[in-house]
Amino acid sequence: MSFVNLYNPPPPADPPPGTDTAVDPDGPSLYGPSPYDINFAFPLDTAWLESTHVRLTPFIPRVHARAYWDAVAPVSTELFRHFGIAWATMEENLAYIEKSYRQSPENILFAIIDKTRSGEASAQRDDDAMSAPPAAGSLAGVISLLHTSSKNLTAEIGYTVVLPAFQRTHVAAHAVGLLLRYCLDLPSASPPGLGLRRVQWMAYPENIASIRLAEKMGFKREGVFRWMWAVSDEEGVKPRKGDSMEDKTGRDTVILAICWDDWEEGGRSRVQSRISA
């Protein structure tokens, strides 16, 4: 029996509705629509995303992008060493955020605000942002939820970047703890959680700090996915001769997870003690 394969790659996506396309050296089309639509397919109660020291709020490029990029750009080589992806300009980073987060309803990127430090938490651009009172605290980094699934009640905490001035402080533990509480508490809780069954964490084996943070927050190591990623990374392993992507090295990834039963059997109290400190 004969067959055909008429697959054609999809055309580039059109700009999202409402996106500002005016000419501007900062590329406002990459800042998304105004007001900013987080386009997240799950309920989001920000009351559940705040501790005594840290607040998580959706990352809004017009509000947070300039301050974030100014902090990461000088140290980007080291800061993104274990991400397998890097950006040369803020515009490249904004394009990644637009495509990977705002246009993906199962993903959401949060700005981490350290409430214990005063300072410029944002570089506000639009009239709405400029007219609003500045939020207390300082931008300390970003953290995201990925692949959030209502079908399987699962999610992944990923793309966690703590700015150098806030590393080795309470910031990372509080940010991760707040997302765990939001994901694993039941919808009947107050404020309501998502009631997920599993939250996953992935890290390169060489990223010891990431693995230690996950384990400190109650994640259990489940194994290693070998040759999980093809990346432009000199520290990766070279593929075999004739590989279709010989210019990209391979990376393994460590898989950790915390599930609803871990959460109910001590995980919640462990996390709560850390984010209440």
Side-chain angles (χ1 to χ4, degrees):
M1 181 179 292
S2 63
F3 64 88
V4 298
N5 183 355
L6 302 179
Y7 172 77
N8 285 312
D14 293 330
T19 298
D20 184 359
T21 57
V23 176
D24 187 301
D26 288 333
S29 63
L30 296 176
Y31 283 83
S34 182
Y36 193 71
D37 177 11
I38 62 172
N39 190 37
F40 190 47
F42 301 85
L44 181 65
D45 189 335
T46 55
W48 214 219
L49 296 175
E50 186 164 358
S51 69
T52 53
H53 289 28
V54 163
R55 181 177 71 257
L56 302 184
T57 185
F59 186 96
I60 301 174
R62 281 182 172 82
V63 176
H64 303 112
R66 175 54 66 184
Y68 174 69
W69 185 254
D70 287 349
V72 302
V75 291
S76 61
T77 299
E78 180 59 28
L79 198 60
F80 297 122
R81 175 184 173 189
H82 296 297
F83 282 79
I85 187 172
W87 304 273
T89 65
M90 187 175 77
E91 288 72 25
E92 288 183 5
N93 192 204
L94 287 174
Y96 169 80
I97 291 171
E98 170 66 19
K99 180 178 180 180
S100 299
Y101 292 94
R102 208 193 67 77
Q103 293 187 24
S104 298
E106 72 276 12
N107 299 344
I108 184 170
L109 183 65
F110 295 96
I112 307 171
I113 306 299
D114 184 354
K115 295 163 56 177
T116 71
R117 300 197 198 185
S118 60
E120 291 296 328
S122 63
Q124 297 170 321
R125 288 178 42 88
D126 63 0
D127 293 339
D128 292 339
M130 292 299 291
S131 63
S138 291
L139 181 67
V142 296
I143 191 169
S144 68
L145 282 180
L146 304 172
H147 317 305
T148 310
S149 170
S150 59
K151 179 180 178 180
N152 296 309
L153 296 179
T154 58
E156 177 185 335
I157 295 179
Y159 189 53
T160 301
V161 178
V162 177
L163 303 182
F166 298 86
Q167 293 177 2
R168 298 178 179 85
T169 69
H170 57 274
V171 165
H174 278 240
V176 173
L178 288 170
L179 283 189
L180 284 175
R181 187 172 69 176
Y182 167 56
C183 287
L184 291 168
D185 269 353
L186 290 168
S188 57
S190 180
L194 296 182
L196 302 184
R197 296 178 178 179
R198 170 187 171 89
V199 179
Q200 182 171 283
W201 184 282
M202 302 172 69
Y204 287 157
E206 299 85 355
N207 193 351
I208 303 301
S210 177
I211 295 171
R212 284 177 177 169
L213 171 60
E215 292 178 331
K216 180 172 73 173
M217 299 307 296
F219 285 83
K220 296 180 179 180
R221 193 182 303 218
E222 296 184 332
V224 176
F225 284 0
R226 299 178 299 159
W227 291 92
M228 176 83 173
W229 305 108
V231 296
S232 300
D233 188 341
E234 293 180 358
E235 296 184 24
V237 181
K238 291 184 178 180
R240 59 187 169 180
K241 187 175 182 180
D243 189 286
S244 62
M245 292 193 292
E246 280 189 281
D247 59 324
K248 292 185 180 292
T249 58
R251 281 286 196 135
D252 299 342
T253 193
V254 177
I255 304 295
L256 306 96
I258 180 169
C259 300
W260 73 266
D261 41 357
D262 305 315
W263 185 247
E264 297 292 347
E265 296 168 7
R268 179 192 289 109
S269 58
R270 179 177 186 170
V271 165
Q272 190 61 42
S273 68
R274 291 192 177 277
I275 64 178
S276 298

